Amino acid sequence: MESAGLVPLSLAKVDRASFDPRSPWAEGATLIIAPVEVRFSSSWDPRQFGTFGLAPKDIEKIRGDLAELAQRTFAETLTKLGTKPAGDVADSKVLELHIKIVDVYLHAPPRSEINPLYTYVYESGEMTLQLEVRTADSGRVLATLYDRHRDPRDAQLTLDNEITQRAATRLALRDWAVQLHGLLRQAGLR
């Protein structure tokens, strides 16, 4: 994920961050949030849920819902913090935000064959953020964030369902957007 010319940046609560310090690339720039990519962990087995496992349409719904939630949460959080996402114009003052949510592992995914019942779990799951800020005109990578999020519960058996998982996921996404805002402020984007 690292690109040439990027230097490490220390951000609280983020595993790795880097940015290009060579120029005030973020001065006066606006953001476009590209469609979010979601990939499940290779060790997550959708066949272990329900009688026959999750159907392909259920898996795609989970993927689509998470991508939509990430897109909306980043846009709302950045807007509240004063970094306004823009339209879809490609020029030197527009930065593209590329978000990948990878290694997604859910312990109690929603299932279409039953009503939203609670499931006993020790943790809701985990996911990893791979984020790049690029110039819209050239695609040059200007900043990166990488962070693995794991449900912070203390190994207690709790009840979980789609609603509680969505709330926990939204909180993690909001934290990542706040960290991105901090990186952009350090780079000069107001």
Side-chain angles (χ1 to χ4, degrees), residues 165-180:
Q165 283 198 352
R166 186 174 183 85
T169 301
R170 186 169 170 78
L171 185 60
L173 292 167
R174 191 176 305 130
D175 287 347
W176 282 336
V178 167
Q179 294 303 322
L180 171 64

Side-chain angles (χ1 to χ4, degrees), residues 11-173:
L11 290 175
K13 301 183 192 176
V14 173
D15 293 337
R16 287 192 317 264
S18 63
F19 79 111
D20 184 348
R22 292 177 290 186
S23 64
W25 51 267
E27 295 253 346
T30 55
L31 280 179
I32 295 172
I33 302 177
V36 176
E37 183 180 329
V38 175
R39 291 191 316 249
F40 292 100
S41 169
S42 59
S43 61
W44 185 67
D45 184 1
R47 294 174 298 192
Q48 70 183 9
F49 302 101
T51 307
F52 301 106
L54 295 174
K57 68 178 181 170
D58 296 328
I59 296 167
E60 285 311 307
K61 181 175 181 343
I62 294 168
R63 185 188 321 271
D65 288 350
L66 179 53
E68 179 188 332
L69 181 63
Q71 182 103 18
R72 189 173 49 242
T73 302
F74 268 83
E76 289 171 359
T77 305
L78 290 171
T79 298
K80 284 178 185 174
L81 293 171
T83 304
K84 296 192 188 296
D88 56 353
V89 180
D91 71 33
S92 62
K93 285 295 184 183
V94 176
L95 303 177
E96 291 180 336
L97 181 58
H98 291 264
I99 302 168
K100 293 181 184 177
I101 310 292
V102 299
D103 296 331
V104 176
Y105 195 106
L106 302 173
H107 292 281
R111 291 165 274 183
S112 65
E113 78 261 7
I114 61 171
N115 290 329
L117 296 175
Y118 284 91
T119 303
Y120 285 100
V121 296
Y122 283 104
E123 61 183 343
S124 290
E126 57 189 77
M127 59 186 174
T128 300
L129 172 73
Q130 293 178 353
L131 182 144
E132 293 180 339
V133 179
R134 301 179 191 167
T135 57
D137 58 348
S138 68
R140 190 173 115 227
V141 177
L142 301 173
T144 64
L145 286 178
Y146 175 90
D147 189 57
R148 182 173 175 252
H149 173 79
R150 190 171 202 164
D151 187 10
R153 296 183 206 175
D154 296 327
Q156 310 179 134
L157 193 60
T158 58
L159 292 171
D160 211 359
N161 73 357
E162 182 177 6
I163 296 165
T164 58
Q165 283 198 352
R166 186 174 183 85
T169 301
R170 186 169 170 78
L171 185 60
L173 292 167

